[in-house]
Short mmCIF file of all heavy atoms in Angstrom, two decimals:
data_model
loop_
_atom_site.label_atom_id
_atom_site.label_comp_id
_atom_site.label_asym_id
_atom_site.label_seq_id
_atom_site.Cartn_x
_atom_site.Cartn_y
_atom_site.Cartn_z
N THR R 156 -1.90 -3.14 3.38
CA THR R 156 -1.18 -4.42 3.43
C THR R 156 -0.20 -4.65 2.28
O THR R 156 0.75 -5.42 2.44
CB THR R 156 -2.17 -5.59 3.50
OG1 THR R 156 -3.10 -5.50 2.42
CG2 THR R 156 -2.91 -5.55 4.82
N ALA R 157 -0.39 -4.02 1.13
CA ALA R 157 0.60 -4.18 0.06
C ALA R 157 1.97 -3.68 0.51
O ALA R 157 3.01 -4.22 0.12
CB ALA R 157 0.16 -3.45 -1.20
N GLY R 158 1.97 -2.67 1.37
CA GLY R 158 3.22 -2.11 1.86
C GLY R 158 3.95 -3.00 2.84
O GLY R 158 5.13 -2.77 3.12
N LEU R 159 3.28 -4.01 3.39
CA LEU R 159 3.92 -4.90 4.35
C LEU R 159 5.04 -5.71 3.71
O LEU R 159 5.88 -6.27 4.42
CB LEU R 159 2.89 -5.85 4.98
CG LEU R 159 1.77 -5.20 5.80
CD1 LEU R 159 0.83 -6.27 6.33
CD2 LEU R 159 2.34 -4.38 6.95
N HIS R 160 5.08 -5.79 2.38
CA HIS R 160 6.09 -6.60 1.70
C HIS R 160 7.44 -5.90 1.57
O HIS R 160 8.42 -6.53 1.18
CB HIS R 160 5.59 -6.98 0.30
CG HIS R 160 4.35 -7.81 0.31
ND1 HIS R 160 4.33 -9.10 0.74
CD2 HIS R 160 3.07 -7.52 -0.06
CE1 HIS R 160 3.11 -9.60 0.63
NE2 HIS R 160 2.32 -8.65 0.16
N PHE R 161 7.50 -4.61 1.87
CA PHE R 161 8.72 -3.85 1.61
C PHE R 161 9.67 -3.91 2.80
O PHE R 161 9.26 -3.84 3.96
CB PHE R 161 8.38 -2.40 1.27
CG PHE R 161 7.79 -2.25 -0.10
CD1 PHE R 161 6.44 -2.49 -0.32
CD2 PHE R 161 8.59 -1.90 -1.18
CE1 PHE R 161 5.90 -2.37 -1.59
CE2 PHE R 161 8.06 -1.77 -2.45
CZ PHE R 161 6.71 -2.02 -2.66
N THR R 162 10.95 -4.02 2.47
CA THR R 162 12.03 -3.99 3.45
C THR R 162 12.93 -2.80 3.12
O THR R 162 12.90 -2.29 1.99
CB THR R 162 12.87 -5.27 3.40
OG1 THR R 162 13.49 -5.36 2.11
CG2 THR R 162 12.00 -6.52 3.61
N PRO R 163 13.74 -2.34 4.05
CA PRO R 163 14.69 -1.26 3.73
C PRO R 163 15.60 -1.62 2.56
O PRO R 163 15.91 -0.76 1.72
CB PRO R 163 15.47 -1.09 5.04
CG PRO R 163 14.52 -1.52 6.11
CD PRO R 163 13.75 -2.66 5.51
N GLU R 164 16.00 -2.88 2.48
CA GLU R 164 16.88 -3.31 1.40
C GLU R 164 16.18 -3.24 0.05
O GLU R 164 16.77 -2.80 -0.95
CB GLU R 164 17.38 -4.74 1.66
CG GLU R 164 18.28 -4.89 2.88
CD GLU R 164 17.52 -4.87 4.20
OE1 GLU R 164 16.27 -5.04 4.19
OE2 GLU R 164 18.17 -4.66 5.25
N LEU R 165 14.93 -3.67 0.00
CA LEU R 165 14.17 -3.60 -1.25
C LEU R 165 13.97 -2.16 -1.68
O LEU R 165 14.09 -1.82 -2.87
CB LEU R 165 12.82 -4.30 -1.09
CG LEU R 165 11.89 -4.28 -2.32
CD1 LEU R 165 12.57 -4.92 -3.53
CD2 LEU R 165 10.56 -4.96 -2.01
N LEU R 166 13.68 -1.29 -0.75
CA LEU R 166 13.51 0.13 -1.08
C LEU R 166 14.80 0.73 -1.64
O LEU R 166 14.76 1.53 -2.58
CB LEU R 166 13.06 0.90 0.16
CG LEU R 166 11.63 0.61 0.65
CD1 LEU R 166 11.39 1.24 2.01
CD2 LEU R 166 10.60 1.10 -0.37
N GLU R 167 15.94 0.33 -1.10
CA GLU R 167 17.21 0.81 -1.62
C GLU R 167 17.43 0.35 -3.05
O GLU R 167 17.92 1.10 -3.90
CB GLU R 167 18.36 0.33 -0.73
CG GLU R 167 18.56 1.17 0.53
CD GLU R 167 18.91 2.62 0.21
OE1 GLU R 167 19.66 2.85 -0.76
OE2 GLU R 167 18.42 3.52 0.92
N ARG R 168 17.10 -0.89 -3.35
CA ARG R 168 17.25 -1.41 -4.71
C ARG R 168 16.34 -0.67 -5.69
O ARG R 168 16.71 -0.43 -6.85
CB ARG R 168 16.95 -2.90 -4.74
CG ARG R 168 17.99 -3.76 -4.02
CD ARG R 168 17.56 -5.22 -3.98
NE ARG R 168 17.27 -5.70 -5.33
CZ ARG R 168 16.32 -6.59 -5.60
NH1 ARG R 168 15.55 -7.09 -4.63
NH2 ARG R 168 16.13 -7.00 -6.83
N ILE R 169 15.17 -0.31 -5.24
CA ILE R 169 14.23 0.42 -6.09
C ILE R 169 14.76 1.84 -6.36
O ILE R 169 14.71 2.32 -7.49
CB ILE R 169 12.84 0.46 -5.43
CG1 ILE R 169 12.21 -0.95 -5.46
CG2 ILE R 169 11.92 1.46 -6.14
CD1 ILE R 169 10.95 -1.08 -4.65
N ARG R 170 15.27 2.50 -5.33
CA ARG R 170 15.84 3.84 -5.52
C ARG R 170 17.02 3.79 -6.49
O ARG R 170 17.19 4.69 -7.31
CB ARG R 170 16.28 4.40 -4.18
CG ARG R 170 15.15 4.67 -3.19
CD ARG R 170 15.67 5.30 -1.92
NE ARG R 170 14.67 5.22 -0.85
CZ ARG R 170 14.82 4.50 0.25
NH1 ARG R 170 15.93 3.82 0.46
NH2 ARG R 170 13.87 4.47 1.16
N ALA R 171 17.84 2.74 -6.38
CA ALA R 171 19.01 2.61 -7.25
C ALA R 171 18.61 2.46 -8.72
O ALA R 171 19.41 2.76 -9.62
CB ALA R 171 19.86 1.42 -6.81
N LYS R 172 17.38 2.03 -8.95
CA LYS R 172 16.87 1.88 -10.32
C LYS R 172 16.44 3.22 -10.91
O LYS R 172 16.11 3.30 -12.09
CB LYS R 172 15.69 0.88 -10.31
CG LYS R 172 15.22 0.40 -11.66
CD LYS R 172 16.23 -0.58 -12.27
CE LYS R 172 15.75 -1.05 -13.63
NZ LYS R 172 14.70 -2.08 -13.57
N GLY R 173 16.43 4.27 -10.09
CA GLY R 173 15.98 5.58 -10.57
C GLY R 173 14.49 5.78 -10.44
O GLY R 173 13.90 6.62 -11.13
N VAL R 174 13.87 5.02 -9.54
CA VAL R 174 12.42 5.11 -9.31
C VAL R 174 12.18 6.02 -8.10
O VAL R 174 12.81 5.86 -7.06
CB VAL R 174 11.82 3.71 -9.06
CG1 VAL R 174 10.34 3.82 -8.70
CG2 VAL R 174 12.02 2.83 -10.28
N GLU R 175 11.28 6.97 -8.25
CA GLU R 175 10.94 7.87 -7.16
C GLU R 175 9.99 7.20 -6.17
O GLU R 175 9.27 6.25 -6.52
CB GLU R 175 10.26 9.14 -7.70
CG GLU R 175 11.13 9.99 -8.60
CD GLU R 175 10.38 11.22 -9.10
OE1 GLU R 175 9.24 11.45 -8.64
OE2 GLU R 175 10.94 11.93 -9.96
N GLU R 176 9.98 7.70 -4.95
CA GLU R 176 8.98 7.26 -3.98
C GLU R 176 8.32 8.49 -3.37
O GLU R 176 8.98 9.47 -3.05
CB GLU R 176 9.61 6.39 -2.89
CG GLU R 176 10.73 7.03 -2.10
CD GLU R 176 11.36 6.07 -1.12
OE1 GLU R 176 11.62 4.91 -1.49
OE2 GLU R 176 11.60 6.49 0.03
N HIS R 177 7.00 8.42 -3.28
CA HIS R 177 6.23 9.53 -2.72
C HIS R 177 5.22 8.96 -1.72
O HIS R 177 4.79 7.81 -1.85
CB HIS R 177 5.51 10.30 -3.83
CG HIS R 177 6.46 10.91 -4.81
ND1 HIS R 177 7.19 12.03 -4.52
CD2 HIS R 177 6.81 10.54 -6.08
CE1 HIS R 177 7.96 12.34 -5.56
NE2 HIS R 177 7.74 11.45 -6.51
N PHE R 178 4.86 9.79 -0.75
CA PHE R 178 4.01 9.33 0.34
C PHE R 178 2.73 10.15 0.43
O PHE R 178 2.75 11.37 0.30
CB PHE R 178 4.76 9.40 1.67
CG PHE R 178 5.93 8.46 1.74
CD1 PHE R 178 7.20 8.89 1.35
CD2 PHE R 178 5.77 7.16 2.17
CE1 PHE R 178 8.29 8.04 1.39
CE2 PHE R 178 6.85 6.29 2.22
CZ PHE R 178 8.11 6.72 1.83
N VAL R 179 1.63 9.44 0.62
CA VAL R 179 0.35 10.05 0.95
C VAL R 179 -0.13 9.39 2.24
O VAL R 179 0.45 8.40 2.69
CB VAL R 179 -0.68 9.85 -0.18
CG1 VAL R 179 -0.24 10.55 -1.46
CG2 VAL R 179 -0.93 8.35 -0.45
N THR R 180 -1.17 9.95 2.83
CA THR R 180 -1.70 9.38 4.06
C THR R 180 -3.19 9.13 3.92
O THR R 180 -3.95 10.06 3.63
CB THR R 180 -1.47 10.33 5.26
OG1 THR R 180 -0.07 10.62 5.38
CG2 THR R 180 -1.96 9.69 6.55
N LEU R 181 -3.60 7.88 4.09
CA LEU R 181 -5.02 7.54 4.19
C LEU R 181 -5.16 6.62 5.39
O LEU R 181 -4.59 5.52 5.42
CB LEU R 181 -5.54 6.83 2.94
CG LEU R 181 -7.04 6.52 2.98
CD1 LEU R 181 -7.86 7.79 2.83
CD2 LEU R 181 -7.45 5.51 1.93
N HIS R 182 -5.88 7.08 6.40
CA HIS R 182 -6.06 6.29 7.61
C HIS R 182 -7.14 5.23 7.36
O HIS R 182 -8.33 5.53 7.34
CB HIS R 182 -6.44 7.19 8.79
CG HIS R 182 -5.34 8.12 9.21
ND1 HIS R 182 -4.04 7.70 9.37
CD2 HIS R 182 -5.34 9.45 9.47
CE1 HIS R 182 -3.29 8.72 9.74
NE2 HIS R 182 -4.05 9.80 9.80
N VAL R 183 -6.67 4.01 7.18
CA VAL R 183 -7.56 2.90 6.83
C VAL R 183 -8.48 2.62 8.01
O VAL R 183 -8.03 2.47 9.15
CB VAL R 183 -6.76 1.64 6.48
CG1 VAL R 183 -7.68 0.59 5.87
CG2 VAL R 183 -5.61 1.98 5.54
N GLY R 184 -9.79 2.50 7.74
CA GLY R 184 -10.76 2.25 8.79
C GLY R 184 -11.22 0.81 8.82
O GLY R 184 -10.97 0.03 7.90
N ALA R 185 -11.91 0.45 9.90
CA ALA R 185 -12.41 -0.92 10.05
C ALA R 185 -13.48 -1.24 9.01
O ALA R 185 -13.78 -2.41 8.76
CB ALA R 185 -12.99 -1.12 11.45
N GLY R 186 -14.04 -0.21 8.39
CA GLY R 186 -15.03 -0.44 7.34
C GLY R 186 -14.48 -1.23 6.17
O GLY R 186 -15.25 -1.82 5.40
N THR R 187 -13.15 -1.26 6.04
CA THR R 187 -12.55 -2.02 4.94
C THR R 187 -12.85 -3.50 5.05
O THR R 187 -12.78 -4.22 4.06
CB THR R 187 -11.02 -1.78 4.90
OG1 THR R 187 -10.48 -2.31 3.70
CG2 THR R 187 -10.32 -2.45 6.08
N PHE R 188 -13.18 -3.99 6.26
CA PHE R 188 -13.46 -5.40 6.46
C PHE R 188 -14.95 -5.72 6.41
O PHE R 188 -15.33 -6.89 6.50
CB PHE R 188 -12.91 -5.87 7.81
CG PHE R 188 -11.42 -5.70 7.93
CD1 PHE R 188 -10.89 -4.98 8.99
CD2 PHE R 188 -10.56 -6.24 6.99
CE1 PHE R 188 -9.52 -4.81 9.12
CE2 PHE R 188 -9.18 -6.07 7.11
CZ PHE R 188 -8.67 -5.36 8.17
N LEU R 189 -15.79 -4.70 6.31
CA LEU R 189 -17.23 -4.95 6.31
C LEU R 189 -17.66 -5.62 5.01
O LEU R 189 -17.25 -5.21 3.92
CB LEU R 189 -18.01 -3.64 6.48
CG LEU R 189 -17.87 -2.94 7.84
CD1 LEU R 189 -18.69 -1.67 7.85
CD2 LEU R 189 -18.30 -3.87 8.97
N PRO R 190 -18.49 -6.65 5.09
CA PRO R 190 -18.95 -7.31 3.87
C PRO R 190 -19.93 -6.44 3.11
O PRO R 190 -20.57 -5.55 3.67
CB PRO R 190 -19.65 -8.56 4.41
CG PRO R 190 -20.12 -8.17 5.78
CD PRO R 190 -19.06 -7.24 6.32
N VAL R 191 -20.02 -6.69 1.81
CA VAL R 191 -21.02 -6.01 0.99
C VAL R 191 -22.31 -6.80 1.12
O VAL R 191 -22.41 -7.92 0.61
CB VAL R 191 -20.56 -5.93 -0.48
CG1 VAL R 191 -21.64 -5.27 -1.33
CG2 VAL R 191 -19.25 -5.16 -0.58
N LYS R 192 -23.28 -6.24 1.81
CA LYS R 192 -24.52 -6.96 2.07
C LYS R 192 -25.57 -6.73 0.99
O LYS R 192 -26.54 -7.48 0.89
CB LYS R 192 -25.08 -6.55 3.43
CG LYS R 192 -24.16 -6.94 4.60
CD LYS R 192 -24.76 -6.55 5.94
CE LYS R 192 -23.86 -6.98 7.09
NZ LYS R 192 -24.42 -6.61 8.41
N ALA R 193 -25.39 -5.69 0.19
CA ALA R 193 -26.36 -5.40 -0.87
C ALA R 193 -26.25 -6.44 -1.98
O ALA R 193 -25.22 -7.09 -2.16
CB ALA R 193 -26.13 -4.01 -1.42
N ASP R 194 -27.32 -6.59 -2.74
CA ASP R 194 -27.31 -7.51 -3.89
C ASP R 194 -26.73 -6.85 -5.12
O ASP R 194 -26.26 -7.53 -6.04
CB ASP R 194 -28.73 -8.01 -4.19
CG ASP R 194 -29.28 -8.89 -3.08
OD1 ASP R 194 -28.47 -9.60 -2.45
OD2 ASP R 194 -30.50 -8.83 -2.82
N ASP R 195 -26.77 -5.51 -5.15
CA ASP R 195 -26.26 -4.76 -6.29
C ASP R 195 -25.27 -3.73 -5.79
O ASP R 195 -25.47 -3.12 -4.74
CB ASP R 195 -27.41 -4.07 -7.03
CG ASP R 195 -26.98 -3.53 -8.38
OD1 ASP R 195 -26.34 -2.46 -8.42
OD2 ASP R 195 -27.29 -4.18 -9.40
N THR R 196 -24.19 -3.52 -6.54
CA THR R 196 -23.16 -2.58 -6.11
C THR R 196 -23.72 -1.16 -5.95
O THR R 196 -23.21 -0.38 -5.14
CB THR R 196 -21.99 -2.55 -7.10
OG1 THR R 196 -22.49 -2.23 -8.42
CG2 THR R 196 -21.30 -3.91 -7.16
N ALA R 197 -24.75 -0.83 -6.70
CA ALA R 197 -25.33 0.51 -6.63
C ALA R 197 -25.95 0.80 -5.27
O ALA R 197 -26.13 1.97 -4.90
CB ALA R 197 -26.38 0.69 -7.73
#
C-alpha cells in the first residue's frame, strides 16, 4: 500500500533528482490482515 501513493509524474520528479529505482517482488498474502492472537510476540 505504500506504493499506492506514487504517480508517473512523481516518479519522474524522483528520477530527475538522481535517485535510482529498483524492483523486487513479494506476493503479499491475506495473512497480512490476520490479527496477532498471542499474548506475547514470541
Side-chain angles (χ1 to χ4, degrees):
T156 54
L159 297 179
H160 298 290
F161 287 82
T162 63
E164 294 76 16
L165 178 58
L166 291 170
E167 279 298 322
R168 291 174 55 214
I169 290 171
R170 294 183 196 114
K172 191 73 180 282
V174 175
E175 296 180 6
E176 58 184 45
H177 299 285
F178 294 92
V179 297
T180 304
L181 183 72
H182 293 313
V183 191
T187 190
F188 300 125
L189 293 180
V191 178
K192 296 181 178 180
D194 293 327
D195 193 281
T196 57

